Amino acid sequence: MAYLDNVRTFVRVYELGNMSAAARDQRISAAVASARIAALEEHLNVRLFQRTTRMLNPTEQGVMFYRGACKILEAVDEAEAEITSVTQTPRGSLHVAAPLGMGQRLIAPAVPEFKALYPLINIRLRLSDRKLDLAGESLDAAFFLGVPEDSSLRIRKIADCERVLCAAPDYIARKGAPASSDELKSGAHDCLNLRYAGAPEFQWPLQSPDGVRRVAVSGPFESDHGDVLTQWALAGHGIILKPLFEVAEHLEAGRLVPVLESEPPVPIQMACLYAHRRRQDPKTRLLIDFMVDHIKASLPTRS
């Protein structure tokens, strides 16, 4: 097992390009990570990385070993999955990611229930509105909203998630409600937008009598945290486009009100991504099945 630990640490150092980041990912100290790499290099009698004070780059031998190491770890994972499926005692850790709003409202509340059903499975949940790299961040599954860019991954669709344009009554009283999407495009209204590294330009897809219109919008504020946008909207600073499940309680309480209902947003796909493997890890399948059922039962709809 010590050799496999060394190999796993090497793979994460290679993928993250940083000893400290790999150590945090592996839940070990940087000194232990460095010792594992040194032990692996001594065993192989080669240098796997060129080290400087700022850089950590794989050598030619390191690149070659990485390709083989990935195959080794995948084979071990698949062998363990086969044993798990036979013994019916799924165990181990699952690294799962989700957008902040979806994770906080739909996934995190269900984690304790899943843990009660499968006490030997530990969930490591990462919440972020930025785009995630499933392989590079060693994730077993990633829940998301939208259309995935990586076609090499498997996708499990959950639902077409209803969305809504809304604003606070104070904002409507001050600036009026938009009568058409042209008012959003002209900049007559303040639109609050989600912005993160690599995000596309702001375009809100709205359903008009002539079909889907992609309306370029702008506003005084933007953030990479979806709940910050909701707080700004509640404070009367602008209009937001949100999945219904994120703002349903505010709509019901009247803290936010729908706008431009004649041109509603196009629903957004809610789904889960996971890696292609010859044999899917049973605990990953159990988690996805459980969360899909839970999310479908939890999604609100507008009457």
Side-chain angles (χ1 to χ4, degrees):
M1 291 303 294
Y3 181 76
L4 279 179
D5 289 339
N6 294 347
V7 173
R8 290 189 189 277
T9 300
F10 162 76
V11 166
R12 296 308 289 147
V13 171
Y14 183 101
E15 291 173 343
L16 297 175
N18 182 284
M19 192 75 70
S20 296
R24 289 193 297 271
D25 181 79
Q26 296 281 293
R27 297 177 178 271
I28 57 177
S29 68
V32 170
S34 180
R36 288 181 178 179
I37 299 300
L40 197 56
E41 289 179 327
E42 182 177 355
H43 173 75
L44 297 170
N45 196 30
V46 297
R47 290 294 297 272
L48 297 172
F49 295 101
Q50 294 289 352
R51 300 167 177 83
T52 67
T53 54
R54 295 185 177 181
M55 302 286 291
L56 188 66
N57 296 314
T59 63
E60 182 179 354
Q61 292 84 358
V63 173
M64 292 172 58
F65 187 70
Y66 173 75
R67 292 195 291 265
C70 288
K71 294 178 182 177
I72 290 170
L73 295 180
E74 183 175 351
V76 170
D77 289 343
E78 290 183 354
E80 290 181 348
E82 289 183 1
I83 294 299
T84 297
S85 65
V86 171
T87 60
Q88 296 297 307
T89 53
R91 66 180 64 229
S93 295
L94 286 174
H95 293 81
V96 183
L100 285 161
M102 183 181 181
Q104 289 173 339
R105 293 170 178 82
L106 299 177
I107 294 177
V111 167
E113 184 179 347
F114 179 81
K115 177 68 174 176
L117 291 173
Y118 305 102
L120 298 181
I121 300 178
N122 297 319
I123 304 298
R124 313 298 185 199
L125 181 61
R126 307 177 191 176
L127 302 183
S128 175
D129 281 328
R130 67 179 175 83
K131 291 186 177 180
L132 298 171
D133 180 354
L134 200 73
E137 300 187 45
S138 194
L139 296 169
D140 296 292
F143 293 88
F144 73 100
L145 294 167
V147 178
E149 296 180 356
D150 191 344
S151 61
S152 68
L153 300 173
R154 291 186 177 179
I155 181 170
R156 172 83 175 271
K157 183 175 179 178
I158 301 172
D160 287 321
C161 185
E162 187 176 355
R163 295 192 286 180
V164 61
L165 292 173
C166 54
D170 287 349
Y171 176 87
I172 302 294
R174 188 174 71 255
K175 302 201 68 169
S180 74
S181 56
D182 289 332
E183 293 186 24
L184 301 181
K185 188 175 182 180
S186 68
H189 282 276
D190 298 330
C191 298
L192 307 174
N193 291 288
L194 186 69
R195 171 70 79 180
Y196 51 86
E201 292 302 311
F202 298 130
Q203 289 189 339
W204 286 357
L206 306 180
Q207 303 175 72
S208 73
D210 299 323
V212 175
R213 295 187 65 189
R214 296 192 176 276
V215 181
V217 298
S218 62
F221 307 134
E222 59 186 54
S223 175
D224 63 354
H225 193 307
D227 279 356
V228 169
L229 301 182
T230 302
Q231 292 304 314
W232 283 338
L234 288 166
H237 296 303
I239 299 172
I240 52 173
L241 184 158
K242 279 285 184 174
L244 179 59
F245 70 84
E246 289 194 28
V247 294
E249 62 179 306
H250 301 305
L251 292 170
E252 185 175 351
R255 294 186 291 268
L256 294 173
V257 294
V259 299
L260 203 57
E261 293 186 273
S262 61
E263 297 181 64
V266 174
I268 190 169
Q269 176 181 239
M270 180 184 289
C272 181
L273 289 175
Y274 56 99
H276 274 283
R277 289 182 177 173
R278 289 188 295 273
R279 184 180 182 88
Q280 187 184 4
D281 186 337
K283 64 180 179 289
T284 302
R285 184 180 64 251
L286 287 170
L287 175 76
I288 294 174
D289 288 345
F290 176 87
M291 288 297 175
V292 167
D293 290 342
H294 171 80
I295 291 170
K296 285 183 176 180
S298 302
L299 284 176
T301 58
R302 294 180 68 191
S303 55

